Structures are given as C-alpha cells and as structure tokens.
Amino acid sequence: MKVLVVGGGGREHALVWKIAQSPLVDRIFCAPGNAGIAREADVVDIGAEDIKALVAFARDNEIGLTVAGPEAPLVAGIVDAFEKEGFKIFGPRQHAAALEGSKAYSKMLMKSAGIPTARFKIFNELSAAKDYAEAVDAPLVVKASGLAAGKGVYVCSTVKEAHEAIDAVMKERIFGSAGDSVVIEECLRGEEASILAFMDGHAIFTMESSQDHKRAFDGDSGPNTGGMGAYSPAPIVTERITRQVERDILVPVAYAANRDGCPYRGILYAGIMITHEGAKVLEFNVRFGDPETQPVLMRMKTDIVEPIMACVEGDLADIDILWDDRASVCVVMAAGGYPGKYESGKEITGIEEAEALGDVKVFHAGTADAQGTLVTDGGRVLGVTAVGETIEAAKARAYEAVEKIHFQDAHYRTDIADKAIGR
Ligand code: AMP
Ligand code: GLY
C-alpha cells in the first residue's frame, strides 16, 4: 500500500518514521515534509492545507491511506473531501474536528456530556466579555475560540490583563476571525498531562501518557510555545487517572459525537489538568500532539498502521497495541528567539554523531536542504528523542545527543522530564 502523510513538522517526521516500518506499506509520501522526512519518504511540494491538490495527488498516485498530521486541514474538512472521492483517510470529519477548531463548540459539548472541565462562559461581544471578567475577578483564562496556532490562550492573574487579552482578540483581532468569540474560564491548578487515544466511532484505545513543556524556558517560565519537549510515560498519570479519563472524558466524547451525528474517528488528544478533584479537560486536539508524538511513538512496539486502519475501517475493538516498558524523552532544539522573531538558514551539524550514541532518533521539525547543506527552517528545528531504562537514563541520553548537535543560536530547555524525575 502507498501512504500519504500530510504536514511537515516533528510530529509528521515521527509518523513517517513509524509508518515506514510497517510491512503493509511499500511507499510513503509526505506533503510538504521537511529535509529530515525527505530521507525517509518522497516529499511532495503541496501545502498541508491545499486540500484540492492533495485529493488530486491521492488519485494520481493511487494512495491507499492518508494520515493528516496538523489540525488546520482537519478543521477545514480534508477528511470529508477525501471520503467524498472514495479515498481512505485517518482523522475526524470536519464537524467532529470542531472539538479543536472551536473552543466554544468544545466547551458546549463538554457541558452537555458532563465532562469535567473549567467553568466557563462564551462571549461574542467585547463589552459583555469585559464586564464578566470584572465580575468573576482574576485569576481567569481568556481564549480565542478559533484556531490560533496555540497562541490564543491567556492565563490572566489580574482583571487588567484579562481586559488586555480581550482587546487583543476581539478589538485588535490579532487572530482574525478566530477571535469572533472568546471563552472566559476558571483558572485550574494542578499538573498538566496529555492523553491520546485512537477512536473509531465506538471503541477507544488509550495510548501511553505523556507530558509536554509549553513554556520557552527552564522552570516553566517565559512565553508559551508549540512545545519545547515531552516525555512518556508521565508518572502523574496513574492507572486510576487513566481510567477516570476514559470513563469521564473519552467515552462521553464518543457518545456525544455519535448523538450529534458526527462519530469521532481518529486521534483524540485530551490536554488535562490533574487537580485535587481529578482530571479536568483544558483542551481537546483532534490529532497527534507535537512534540508528544515523538516520545510516544518511540515506545510503540506495534505496527501503527494496524490501529490507524482499524479506526478507518471501524474495527478498533480487535486491535491491541504493545509498548516498550522503557521511558522516552524528546528535547526540542529551537532557533534562538523562538517563539518570537528568529532567523532561519543556519547550518546544522552533528545529527549522525547524535544518533550513533544508540537509542536516539533525531526528528526534524523545521529543517531544509540548501544545495546539499542541512539548515534550520523554522522555530522548532529538531526533536532529539531517546529511550532509556528509566526516565533519568532517557533524559541523560537525550541531552548527550543534544550536545553533539550544533547550529548558530540554538536554544533548548535543560529541564525536560525533571517533573517526572521529581516524582
Ligand atoms: P490550551 O491551548 O487550551 O491547552 O491552553 C494552552 C495552555 O494554557 C495550557 O497548556 C495550560 O497551560 C493553559 N491553560 C488553558 N486553560 C487553562 C485553565 N482553565 N486553567 C489554567 N491553565 C490553563
Ligand atoms: N503539544 C501541544 C499540541 O500538540 O498542541
């Protein structure tokens, strides 16, 4: 079978790497891919959001399965478009993808299904939003409802900050129509974790847990980023928490989606806060996490095409997924300045030396090939991922690998996985 992976970041490199190991797959394409993906797949010069061109490519190349990595094409209806033409594609249809595409929709669904989440209110009008922020008082969280590349969330410790956030989203409209409505919600306290599950519309298969590091600098300081590193498993996610997440969150989503006539098929990513009252949902994503996918897939022993196909065909209940008992840690090497302004085009060296250490895979997130030289081409550049007998060993090996890799102004956190080690 020929497989097409849509996207071009670290998550997609991990997906390509894992899918390429499947005996069911004889050729793999990635659109648009990156320089690292190009070493393991045929990269295709089509943007991840150019749905028409992707459908045409699938037709011309007899693609047997397409896997969409990022949220934007899913929210824009790539699954509906492929299915309409009779092509197999993994992911939720547009209506179900609104769980990520509209935080307002997502919160309403959670409320109607009794899913634990922060108390909230939705506003379409600026002054009403400001009045409410004043009435409930800080701390509170202001969220642009639509897609904002992970930047639309403001955790505000004063009402003034909340008013500034509401102005930025609704008046200055820095996220465009994604700011047509805002969600204002209670600030939850606790530790965050990510739970990803395969879903086929009926059955659910929960993957091993992971934890992202969203802030730019050590000690969870600095601005929010797309994710500076991740590890798996997350010891805070005990067996009891996993069962609670399945019972109180995943099963009710599957039920509510079916009730609303849009069965949920694909990956459901629950970003949770583990509070003293148990796990509560911070957000849903409708796809694999980036960078959580890198350490989670390093630990997946089963051929990933089996559960993916089972979700597409609706027989996930027959599938088991086996995991490596070892731990995995992914350290993101970013361009200096990220998530603010940064430069691209810096030569990258040392990846082979890093991988030669063993138990290391360097996933490319933002890289390009400049006439035979590997250069940086994005904010997050590499996801240096290692496995080890313990989380400490995996962390040590990941940082040993990071030390081998060089590009000008490289920035990375030095404390990835420390929360797990502290436990
Ligand atoms: P989201 O994109 O909704 O996951 O939000 C991004 C980040 O904002 C999360 O990873 C949390 O760190 C934080 N956050 C979101 N919602 C809340 C909340 N209700 N309480 C506290 N922190 C939150
Ligand atoms: N790691 C956070 C995300 O994928 O949205």
Side-chain angles (χ1 to χ4, degrees), residues 216-217 223 225 334-343 379 409-411:
F217 306 122
T225 69
Y338 172 79
K341 268 217 314 275
Y342 58 83
E343 288 175 18
D409 299 331
H411 163 68

Side-chain angles (χ1 to χ4, degrees), residues 103 118 141 143 153 155 185-188 192 214 282-283:
K103 287 188 194 288
V141 183
K143 300 182 173 185
V153 174
V155 179
E185 66 181 37
E186 164 199 14
C187 190
L188 298 176
E192 287 179 47
K214 290 204 164 106
L282 291 172
E283 63 164 344

Side-chain angles (χ1 to χ4, degrees), residues 290-347:
D290 191 346
E292 293 95 324
T293 303
Q294 290 82 317
V296 169
L297 294 194
M298 281 284 273
R299 299 184 53 226
M300 185 186 281
K301 293 208 286 197
T302 304
D303 173 3
I304 194 174
V305 176
E306 289 179 18
I308 286 178
M309 266 314 216
C311 287
V312 175
E313 313 268 356
D315 49 19
L316 184 64
D318 301 336
I319 296 284
D320 197 10
I321 300 178
L322 302 176
W323 301 95
D324 191 330
D325 287 333
R326 293 178 299 166
S328 179
V329 172
C330 169
V331 178
V332 169
M333 296 182 76
Y338 172 79
K341 268 217 314 275
Y342 58 83
E343 288 175 18
S344 286
K346 312 287 185 199
E347 181 175 359

Side-chain angles (χ1 to χ4, degrees), residues 11 212 214 226 269 283 285 287-292:
R11 162 186 51 213
D212 189 7
K214 290 204 164 106
Y269 165 138
E283 63 164 344
N285 294 324
R287 33 97 191 151
F288 281 102
D290 191 346
E292 293 95 324

Side-chain angles (χ1 to χ4, degrees), residues 58-371:
R59 187 184 307 114
D60 295 344
N61 293 277
E62 297 172 325
I63 299 296
L65 171 68
T66 297
V67 178
E71 60 277 16
L74 291 165
V75 170
I78 191 173
V79 172
D80 312 58
F82 270 67
E83 286 180 346
K84 197 164 151 240
E85 300 291 327
F87 295 118
K88 290 193 172 138
I89 180 164
F90 174 66
R93 290 187 192 149
Q94 185 168 30
H95 187 158
L99 267 186
E100 178 166 359
S102 163
K103 287 188 194 288
Y105 171 81
S106 168
K107 294 295 283 194
M108 301 287 281
L109 181 136
M110 284 190 257
K111 192 172 178 187
S112 78
I115 293 170
T117 187
R119 282 192 302 274
F120 71 100
K121 250 182 136 90
I122 298 165
F123 296 92
N124 306 313
E125 207 253 315
L126 183 120
S127 63
K130 284 189 169 175
D131 289 349
Y132 178 75
E134 201 160 335
V136 291
D137 210 353
L140 46 80
V141 183
V142 176
K143 300 182 173 185
S145 177
L147 287 187
K151 298 190 191 103
V153 174
Y154 299 81
V155 179
C156 305
S157 46
T158 62
V159 171
K160 183 166 171 278
E161 272 174 49
H163 281 182
E164 285 164 6
I166 294 165
D167 274 337
V169 173
M170 299 193 97
K171 199 154 120 196
E172 293 146 38
R173 296 180 64 79
I174 61 172
F175 306 115
S177 61
D180 284 350
S181 41
V182 292
V183 175
I184 299 184
E185 66 181 37
E186 164 199 14
C187 190
L188 298 176
R189 294 191 192 288
E191 193 172 327
E192 287 179 47
S194 307
I195 307 279
L196 283 80
F198 285 97
M199 294 176 50
D200 74 349
H202 302 281
I204 291 165
F205 195 103
T206 310
M207 283 185 255
E208 291 283 282
S209 62
S210 55
Q211 192 180 59
D212 189 7
H213 296 65
K214 290 204 164 106
R215 302 294 197 98
F217 306 122
D218 283 4
D220 290 334
S221 61
N224 262 318
T225 69
M228 292 299 294
Y231 62 89
S232 171
I236 183 146
V237 182
T238 56
E239 189 65 19
R240 197 172 63 86
I241 294 284
T242 306
R243 297 290 92 82
Q244 187 226 326
V245 168
E246 288 172 340
R247 184 186 67 233
D248 297 346
I249 299 171
L250 302 178
V251 170
V253 168
Y255 173 80
N258 281 330
R259 177 200 62 198
D260 293 351
C262 51
Y264 195 94
R265 282 188 217 101
I267 297 292
L268 183 66
Y269 165 138
I272 57 170
M273 185 76 92
I274 298 162
T275 71
H276 64 273
E277 295 171 331
K280 296 189 179 183
V281 177
L282 291 172
E283 63 164 344
F284 285 123
N285 294 324
V286 298
R287 33 97 191 151
F288 281 102
D290 191 346
E292 293 95 324
T293 303
Q294 290 82 317
V296 169
L297 294 194
M298 281 284 273
R299 299 184 53 226
M300 185 186 281
K301 293 208 286 197
T302 304
D303 173 3
I304 194 174
V305 176
E306 289 179 18
I308 286 178
M309 266 314 216
C311 287
V312 175
E313 313 268 356
D315 49 19
L316 184 64
D318 301 336
I319 296 284
D320 197 10
I321 300 178
L322 302 176
W323 301 95
D324 191 330
D325 287 333
R326 293 178 299 166
S328 179
V329 172
C330 169
V331 178
V332 169
M333 296 182 76
Y338 172 79
K341 268 217 314 275
Y342 58 83
E343 288 175 18
S344 286
K346 312 287 185 199
E347 181 175 359
I348 307 168
T349 58
I351 291 180
E352 274 172 27
E353 292 82 342
E355 289 186 335
L357 291 169
D359 292 331
V360 172
K361 174 73 191 172
V362 179
F363 295 111
H364 293 225
T367 66
D369 180 70
Q371 279 126 29

